[in-house]
C-alpha cells in the first residue's frame, strides 16, 4: 500500500513539475540577461565586483568588456582567500561547500558551491526524473531499490567549509522519500578503494529488487561486468524490474552497445550533464537525442566558437547568437561566484526551441599535432558509423598522434580495448579512417596530401583501461581517461597493455 501511494504521489508531482518547467522555455534569451544583471547586482560589493567595476555593468556587452574569460588559474588567487574563510570575495558569503576535483595543471581544484547554488544541483537531478515519470506515466521504479555509484560522502573541512567530491556532497541531499530505498549503505559508500567498494556494493545489491541505477558509464560497466561474471547472467535476469539508468559525466553513446549487451534487455536511459560548477542539462525525452539546457538554474551561459577559443578576439556569443551543429566552448557565470569561467566542455546545439545540446568534447581533449584539430564528437561519431557497418564491441579507446614513427609517415594511433574484435581488423581500420576523414576535412587533407599515413589500431588486452587507471590512482569515482590527446603521455603508458 505504501509503495502504491509513493508511486502515485511521484506521478502527480512529476506532471505538476513538467507543466511548471514549460515556463522557462518561453523566453530564455531575455531570462538569461535578467539573470546576469541580477548576479552582477548581488555581487557589486564583493572584491571581484569592485575590481571589475560591477557598478557600471548594465548589459551583457558591458559585462563582456569588463570581465575577461577566466580559467581556474585566473580565479585561484580569489579562491585561495575564500578557502581561508574570507567572505565577500567572489560571492557575498563563504561557500556552503567546496567541490574538490582533480586538475591536470592546477592540482586539486576547489570549486565553490554557494547556498544559493546547492538547491539547483538537486533540482536538476529531480527534474530529470520528473520529466521521465511524466513522459512514461509510470513511476514503478520508486517501489524498488536504487543505487548511486558515487564518491565517498565523507567531507573534510577547509576553514569551516565542508569539502569533498560533488557526488559525495550530493549524497547528503538525497530526499527523505528516497532514503529508505537507497543503496549502498553508508559503510560501503565511504570505502576509498574502488574495487573493494564495488565488491561490497555487489554483496548489498545482488539479491535486491533493483529498479534504478545511476553512475558514469565506465563504472556502471565495471559493476555490471562483476555481477555477470559472478552469476553468469545478464543484468535484466538478475534485476528483472530494473527500469531506469541515469548517467552523466561522459557521452553515453560510445558505451551504448556494451551496456546493452550487459543488460540483456530493455532499460530506459536518461543522460544528464552535471558538474561541480552546476547542473547544466538533462535528457527531457528519453527517446530523443539531446539534453535540455537549464537556462533558469542560476547560471548565465556564453559560447565561444571552438575554432576561436583561446584567441585574443574570440567572440562571446549568447543563446540568441548560436547556430545549430556547431561546436562551442562553454563559458559560465554562476550564483557561486564563478565569472566568465571556462569549464573546459564543448557543446553543440541540435535544437533551439527549446535549446537542446550534445556534449561534443573537451577544450583540452583533442588531437591536433598536425593542425587537424580532431575532437571527441568526430571520433565518437566515426566509431559509431564504423561499428554499424562492421560489428564489434569496444570497451574503451584512446587516440594519440605518433609524430616520429620508426618508419614511414606520422599517423594517428588508436589504442582500443575490444570486448569483441571485428571480423577483419584491417577492413575495420580502413573504414574508421574513412569515417573520420568524412567528419574532419583537415584530417582528410593531411591523408590526401601524404602528410599522414592512415590510422593505426593497437588492440589492448582485457581490462587495460582499468589497470591503467588503477596505476595512476584514478580508478573509480568521477575519474575518466581522456579519449583524445595531443601528446603521447597516456599513449606511452598504454604501450605495456598491447597484445
Amino acid at each position: 500500500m505504501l509503495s502504491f501511494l509513493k508511486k502515485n504521489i511521484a506521478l502527480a508531482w512529476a506532471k505538476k513539475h513538467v507543466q511548471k518547467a514549460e515556463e522557462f522555455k518561453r523566453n530564455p534569451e531575455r531570462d538569461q540577461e535578467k539573470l546576469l544583471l541580477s548576479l552582477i547586482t548581488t555581487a557589486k560589493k564583493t572584491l571581484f565586483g569592485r575590481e571589475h567595476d560591477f557598478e557600471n555593468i548594465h548589459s551583457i556587452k558591458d559585462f563582456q568588456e569588463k570581465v575577461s574569460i577566466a580559467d581556474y588559474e585566473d580565479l585561484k588567487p580569489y579562491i585561495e582567500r575564500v578557502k581561508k574563510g574570507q567572505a565577500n570575495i567572489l560571492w557575498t558569503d563563504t561557500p556552503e561547500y567546496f567541490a574538490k576535483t582533480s586538475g591536470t595543471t592546477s592540482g586539486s581544484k576547489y570549486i565553490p558551491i554557494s547556498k544559493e547554488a546547492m538547491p539547483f544541483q538537486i533540482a536538476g537531478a529531480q527534474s530529470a526524473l520528473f520529466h521521465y515519470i511524466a513522459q512514461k506515466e509510470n513511476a514503478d521504479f520508486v517501489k524498488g531499490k536504487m543505487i548511486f555509484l558515487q564518491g565517498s560522502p565523507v567531507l573534510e573541512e577547509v576553514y569551516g567549509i565542508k569539502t569533498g567530491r560533488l557526488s559525495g556532497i550530493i549524497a547528503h541531499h538525497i530526499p527523505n522519500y528516497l532514503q529508505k530505498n537507497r543503496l549502498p549503505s553508508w559503510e560501503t559508500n565511504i570505502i576509498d578503494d574502488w574495487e573493494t567498494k564495488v565488491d561490497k556494493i555487489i554483496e548489498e545489491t545482488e539479491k535486491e529488487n533493483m529498479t534504478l541505477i545511476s553512475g558514469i558509464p565506465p563504472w556502471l560497466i565495471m559493476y555490471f561486468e562483476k555481477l555477470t561474471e559472478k552469476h553468469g547472467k545478464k543484468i535484466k535476469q538478475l534485476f528483472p524490474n530494473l527500469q531506469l539508468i541515469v548517467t552523466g559525466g561522459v557521452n553515453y553513446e560510445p558505451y551504448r552497445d556494451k551496456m546493452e549487451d550487459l543488460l540483456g534487455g530493455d532499460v530506459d536511459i536518461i543522460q544528464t550533464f552535471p558538474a561541480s560548477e552546476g547542473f547544466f542539462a538533462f535528457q527531457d525525452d528519453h527517446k530523443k537525442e539531446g539534453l535540455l539546457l537549464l537556462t533558469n538554474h542560476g547560471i548565465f551561459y556564453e559560447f565561444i566558437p571552438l575554432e576561436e577559443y583561446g584567441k585574443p578576439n574570440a567572440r562571446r556569443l549568447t543563446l540568441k547568437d548560436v547556430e545549430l551543429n556547431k561546436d562551442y566552448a562553454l563559458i559560465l557565470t554562476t550564483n557561486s561566484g564563478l565569472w566568465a569561467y571556462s569549464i573546459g566542455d564543448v557543446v553543440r546545439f541540435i535544437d533551439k526551441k527549446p535549446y537542446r545540446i550534445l556534449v561534443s568534447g573537451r577544450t583540452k581533449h583533442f588531437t591536433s599535432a598536425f593542425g587537424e584539430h580532431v575532437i571527441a564528437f568526430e571520433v565518437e561519431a566515426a566509431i559509431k558509423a564504423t561499428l554499424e557497418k562492421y560489428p564489434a564491441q569496444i570497451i574503451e579507446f584512446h587516440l594519440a598522434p605518433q609524430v616520429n614513427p620508426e618508419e614511414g609517415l606520422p599517423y594517428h594511433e588508436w589504442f582500443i580495448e575490444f570486448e569483441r574484435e571485428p571480423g577483419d581488423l584491417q577492413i575495420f581500420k580502413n573504414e574508421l579512417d574513412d569515417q573520420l576523414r568524412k567528419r574532419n576535412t583537415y584530417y582528410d587533407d593531411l591523408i590526401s596530401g601524404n602528410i599522414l599515413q592512415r590510422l593505426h589500431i593497437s588492440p589492448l588486452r582485457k581490462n587495460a583501461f582499468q589497470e591503467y587507471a588503477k596505476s595512476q590512482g584514478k580508478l573509480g569515482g568521477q575519474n575518466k581517461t581522456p579519449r583524445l590527446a595531443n601528446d603521447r603521455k597516456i599513449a606511452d603508458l598504454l604501450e605495456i597493455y598491447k597484445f
Side-chain angles (χ1 to χ4, degrees):
M1 181 64 178
L2 185 61
S3 63
F4 175 79
L5 284 172
K6 187 185 286 188
K7 171 187 170 182
N8 281 279
I9 290 169
L11 190 55
W13 279 357
K15 289 181 177 180
K16 186 175 181 181
H17 175 89
V18 171
Q19 287 175 353
K20 189 173 181 181
E22 290 300 311
E23 295 174 11
F24 86 83
K25 300 177 187 177
R26 290 175 188 159
N27 200 334
E29 299 91 350
R30 179 201 63 198
D31 293 344
Q32 278 275 285
E33 183 163 17
K34 286 172 64 177
L35 171 62
L36 174 64
L37 296 179
S38 173
L39 296 175
I40 293 292
T41 299
T42 301
K44 275 182 181 178
K45 297 191 184 321
T46 63
L47 175 62
F48 191 92
R50 296 195 305 273
E51 289 182 353
H52 292 80
D53 195 20
F54 278 16
E55 284 285 352
N56 291 306
I57 293 178
H58 306 292
S59 66
I60 293 174
K61 184 173 182 291
D62 291 343
F63 174 72
Q64 292 177 338
E65 287 176 352
K66 293 179 183 295
V67 181
S68 300
I69 300 296
D71 60 16
Y72 187 81
E73 285 300 306
D74 295 318
L75 294 185
K76 190 173 182 180
Y78 298 97
I79 291 173
E80 288 301 312
R81 295 182 69 163
V82 177
K83 281 170 63 179
K84 293 175 182 175
Q86 296 181 31
N88 233 35
I89 303 299
L90 287 167
W91 196 242
T92 53
D93 202 350
T94 54
E96 185 173 10
Y97 297 99
F98 274 126
K100 189 176 179 181
T101 69
S102 300
T104 53
T105 58
S106 308
S108 293
K109 296 181 181 180
Y110 292 80
I111 306 299
I113 303 176
S114 69
K115 65 179 184 294
E116 293 90 347
M118 195 64 223
F120 287 121
Q121 285 277 8
I122 309 306
Q126 288 177 331
S127 192
L129 290 177
F130 282 149
H131 274 73
Y132 171 78
I133 290 170
Q135 185 187 5
K136 292 278 288 191
E137 293 194 345
N138 185 338
D140 283 346
F141 69 85
V142 303
K143 298 187 293 185
K145 296 291 186 181
M146 308 176 198
I147 183 174
F148 302 88
L149 293 174
Q150 58 192 193
S152 172
V154 174
L155 305 179
E156 58 179 333
E157 289 206 356
V158 175
Y159 286 90
I161 301 170
K162 293 178 181 177
T163 302
R165 299 286 181 185
L166 176 65
S167 59
I169 292 170
I170 296 294
H172 293 268
H173 293 267
I174 302 295
N176 288 333
Y177 63 86
L178 293 180
Q179 288 288 6
K180 287 185 179 179
N181 293 46
R182 177 185 163 214
L183 291 170
S185 65
W186 176 271
E187 293 75 18
T188 295
N189 235 353
I190 64 175
I191 296 172
D192 282 328
D193 181 77
W194 190 251
E195 289 181 295
T196 304
K197 183 173 184 171
V198 172
D199 288 340
K200 288 295 291 182
I201 289 173
I202 287 171
E203 288 180 23
E204 291 186 6
T205 58
E206 60 190 345
K207 295 180 181 178
E208 296 287 351
N209 177 31
M210 302 304 303
T211 53
L212 181 151
I213 298 175
S214 175
I216 70 170
W219 308 117
L220 289 171
I221 285 172
M222 182 177 178
Y223 168 61
F224 289 157
E225 282 183 332
K226 282 178 172 281
L227 275 166
T228 55
E229 286 168 10
K230 183 174 182 179
H231 294 280
K233 296 180 180 179
K234 299 288 187 181
I235 298 303
K236 278 292 282 184
Q237 291 177 289
L238 292 170
F239 304 137
N241 295 321
L242 179 61
Q243 179 183 342
L244 181 61
I245 289 173
V246 181
T247 184
V250 295
N251 182 11
Y252 179 74
E253 288 306 316
Y255 300 94
R256 186 180 292 277
D257 288 346
K258 176 64 176 175
M259 288 282 283
E260 289 178 353
D261 180 59
L262 287 165
L263 289 168
D266 292 335
V267 179
D268 291 331
I269 309 292
I270 297 177
Q271 298 180 58
T272 64
F273 185 14
S276 301
E277 294 83 357
F279 197 110
F280 311 129
F282 65 83
Q283 190 175 5
D284 59 325
D285 185 337
H286 73 281
K287 295 179 181 178
K288 291 183 180 178
E289 191 177 41
L291 310 181
L292 177 68
L293 186 67
L294 297 172
T295 54
N296 65 335
H297 271 220
I299 299 171
F300 173 73
Y301 299 100
E302 296 176 83
F303 309 91
I304 297 178
L306 187 58
E307 67 273 15
E308 299 178 26
Y309 182 75
K311 295 180 180 178
N313 298 314
R315 290 173 296 156
R316 293 166 63 173
L317 309 181
T318 57
L319 282 177
K320 64 182 175 59
D321 306 309
V322 297
E323 299 177 36
L324 298 182
N325 302 312
K326 284 195 67 173
D327 294 302
Y328 297 99
L330 182 61
I331 309 298
L332 313 172
T333 290
T334 78
N335 57 357
S336 289
L338 298 176
W339 301 99
Y341 183 80
S342 176
I343 189 175
D345 284 300
V346 179
V347 299
R348 174 178 292 197
F349 285 87
I350 61 168
D351 199 350
K352 295 175 76 169
K353 292 183 179 181
Y355 286 96
R356 288 196 178 90
I357 60 172
L358 297 174
V359 183
S360 53
R362 296 277 295 167
T363 56
K364 293 182 180 178
H365 294 170
F366 59 87
T367 302
S368 193
F370 314 98
E372 65 275 39
H373 208 90
V374 172
I375 63 171
F377 190 87
E378 293 165 340
V379 300
E380 289 169 356
I383 281 272
K384 183 178 180 182
T386 303
L387 290 171
E388 287 172 357
K389 196 166 182 180
Y390 299 106
Q393 204 168 82
I394 291 174
I395 295 172
E396 193 53 276
F397 67 86
H398 176 76
L399 167 58
Q402 176 52 271
V403 179
N404 297 304
E406 292 183 4
E407 58 182 59
L409 295 171
Y411 54 86
H412 283 183
E413 184 171 13
W414 292 61
F415 294 83
I416 302 181
E417 181 184 338
F418 288 100
E419 175 75 17
R420 186 179 71 253
E421 284 198 18
D424 188 315
L425 190 60
Q426 183 65 34
I427 292 175
F428 184 90
K429 176 187 83 85
N430 290 338
E431 180 66 24
L432 179 57
D433 200 66
D434 290 341
Q435 292 291 343
L436 187 55
R437 291 174 71 177
K438 288 179 185 177
R439 288 163 174 80
N440 188 299
T441 56
Y442 301 108
Y443 178 67
D444 183 48
D445 288 344
L446 290 166
I447 300 290
S448 301
N450 289 319
I451 307 299
L452 297 182
Q453 58 175 298
R454 303 188 77 171
L455 67 82
H456 290 208
I457 290 178
S458 296
L460 303 183
R461 66 174 186 257
K462 178 77 170 171
N463 297 323
F465 281 93
Q466 283 187 29
E467 290 178 27
Y468 161 75
K470 189 175 181 180
S471 73
Q472 301 301 301
K474 292 185 176 182
L475 183 64
Q478 301 301 303
N479 296 307
K480 19 190 199 297
T481 302
R483 286 188 155 164
L484 291 97
N486 205 33
D487 55 43
R488 292 190 63 82
K489 290 177 183 175
I490 295 173
D492 288 344
L493 295 172
L494 290 174
E495 289 281 347
I496 63 171
Y497 303 108
K498 286 182 179 179
F499 282 110

